[in-house]
């Protein structure tokens, strides 16, 4: 009679900037290659289709102990996730994530950015973090923090033009991300300042 | 509304597959006899609320396919609908989504169109008409 394999343990989610990964500890069977399969269940499945589970085919019979579940966690509801192990005809019970996962808990990091002074133009480049992300950019003339200006960048395509600078003045910029789907923002990035000079910028 | 954008991209990925399962193109669930665009603005919230309940409670569960990718996208759409349905319920509870005679009549018509077909055909036809609903929602909100 086939002995059941131990179920995968330490099942957890790593979620940063709306990218979600399921990870678990490997099941060790001497001399054998253990394969894993992952399934998910949204709130809809729990309430309307008799708690049915949906397999993630990219994570069916894989040897890795991590699965990218971003594509399937695409609603702001509570999800259940589970993993099982297989060796040939032998298989384990399902190991289930303790508690639900809702993407609203993803950790949001400040955006990478680069501030450029091009002549008298204050420009910046922002990291493309995907369609779910918008950016709130604050910029001001150094010493005039009270007259801080704000610009919302909804799509990152190219360089963002912020302002026309006064010659010889220092301008500072900081930015945060905003994710409308979960109505949350990251903390602000470090402030970057540049000086308007004749076509050259000097980092301060 | 971000969820509508996500629903639209999820639907775009399976639209051709779903609409191919609906051979009777001459009938419509949402647009017969009148288009959603004829719904008065005062009735829009209530019709939207009714339609979200309709899709969540009647449509998606009958749209099981043999294709794992399609099933996963339907799950994404269904869970997004559930999330939006919850938000609309809050409006309904705060009396900001009142149902008049017109909206009730419009929704009864949609139900009659749905029940006039066998359940699987009706479900796939309704799912295949999702862009009609999304276009109307984005245009009117």
């Amino acid at each position: 009679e086939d002995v059941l394999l131990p179920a995968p343990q330490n099942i957890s989610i790593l979620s940063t900037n709306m990218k979600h990964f399921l990870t678990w500890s490997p099941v060790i069977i001497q001399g054998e290659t253990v394969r894993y399969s992952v399934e998910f269940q949204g709130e809809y499945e729990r309430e309307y289709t008799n708690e049915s589970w949906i397999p993630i085919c990219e994570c069916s019979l894989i040897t890795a102990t991590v699965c990218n579940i971003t594509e399937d966690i695409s609603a702001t509801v509570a999800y259940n996730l589970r993993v099982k192990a297989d060796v040939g005809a032998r298989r384990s019970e399902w190991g289930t994530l303790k508690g639900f996962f809702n993407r609203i808990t993803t950790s949001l990091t400040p955006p990478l950015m680069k501030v450029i002074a091009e002549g008298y133009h204050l420009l910046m480049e922002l990291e493309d973090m995907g369609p779910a992300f918008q950016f709130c950019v604050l910029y001001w003339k150094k010493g005039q923090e009270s007259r801080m200006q704000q610009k919302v960048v909804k799509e990152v395509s190219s360089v963002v033009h912020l302002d026309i600078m006064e010659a010889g003045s220092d301008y500072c910029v900081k930015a945060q991300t905003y994710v409308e789907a979960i109505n949350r923002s990251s903390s602000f990035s470090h402030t970057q300042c540049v000086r308007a000079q004749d076509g050259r910028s000097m980092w301060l | 509304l971000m969820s509508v954008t996500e629903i639209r991209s999820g639907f775009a990925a399976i639209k051709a597959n779903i609409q191919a399962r609906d051979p009777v193109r001459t009938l419509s669930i949402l647009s017969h006899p009148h288009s959603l665009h004829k719904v008065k603005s005062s009735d829009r919230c209530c019709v939207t609320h009714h339609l979200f309940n309709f899709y969540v409670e009647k449509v998606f569960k009958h749209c099981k396919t043999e294709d794992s990718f399609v099933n996963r996208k339907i799950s994404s759409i269904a869970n997004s609908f559930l999330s939006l349905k919850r938000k609309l319920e809050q409006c309904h509870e705060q009396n900001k989504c009142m149902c008049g005679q017109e909206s009730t009549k419009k929704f009864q018509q949609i139900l009659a169109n749905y029940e006039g077909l066998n359940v699987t055909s009706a479900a796939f036809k309704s799912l295949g008409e999702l862009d009609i609903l999304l276009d109307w929602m984005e245009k009117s909100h």
Side-chain angles (χ1 to χ4, degrees), chain A residues 60-73:
Chain A
S60 283
L61 298 174
I62 58 172
T63 53
T65 57
V66 59
C67 171
N68 185 344
I69 58 174
T70 304
E71 279 296 308
D72 295 293
I73 307 294

Side-chain angles (χ1 to χ4, degrees), chain B:
Chain B
L1 198 66
M2 188 59 195
S3 298
V4 172
T5 310
E6 289 176 312
I7 292 170
R8 197 181 275 285
S9 77
F11 179 64
I14 59 171
K15 178 177 175 179
N17 181 298
I18 296 297
Q19 291 185 345
R21 296 166 192 266
D22 172 23
V24 184
R25 304 302 294 161
T26 50
L27 277 176
S28 168
I29 302 282
L30 298 182
S31 303
H32 174 77
H34 304 303
S35 145
L36 282 172
H37 295 280
K38 290 211 180 293
V39 171
K40 288 187 304 190
S41 57
S42 56
D43 285 323
R44 273 188 206 128
C45 183
C46 173
V47 170
T48 306
H49 185 221
H50 271 311
L51 284 173
F52 271 74
N53 286 343
F54 166 70
Y55 271 90
V56 166
E57 282 156 21
K58 281 188 176 291
V59 173
F60 294 125
K61 64 177 71 175
H62 296 299
C63 293
K64 194 80 174 169
T65 77
E66 70 300 331
D67 184 319
S68 160
F69 174 78
V70 172
N71 291 343
R72 286 161 70 184
K73 287 299 173 190
I74 292 172
S75 167
S76 296
I77 294 168
N79 280 287
S80 291
F81 260 69
L82 185 57
S83 169
L84 282 171
K85 174 176 180 287
R86 291 263 153 72
K87 286 178 187 161
L88 276 172
E89 270 156 10
Q90 290 164 21
C91 297
H92 202 68
E93 280 145 22
Q94 296 155 19
N95 295 319
K96 293 179 193 153
C97 195
M98 299 313 291
C99 287
Q101 211 178 2
E102 279 291 317
S103 45
T104 306
K105 206 171 85 181
K106 175 64 190 176
F107 183 63
Q108 297 301 340
Q109 177 63 63
I110 288 171
L111 273 186
N113 295 343
Y114 183 84
E115 271 137 23
L117 299 171
N118 79 68
V119 67
T120 304
S121 307
F124 277 112
K125 181 179 277 299
S126 304
L127 182 54
E129 293 185 6
L130 210 51
D131 44 5
I132 293 173
L133 173 59
L134 298 174
D135 291 346
W136 173 67
M137 278 176 62
E138 282 182 344
K139 208 172 153 193
S140 52
H141 285 83

Side-chain angles (χ1 to χ4, degrees), chain A residues 70-84:
Chain A
T70 304
E71 279 296 308
D72 295 293
I73 307 294
S74 55
T76 308
V77 295
Y79 282 86
N80 250 332
L81 288 131
R82 68 182 186 180
V83 193
K84 72 177 170 73

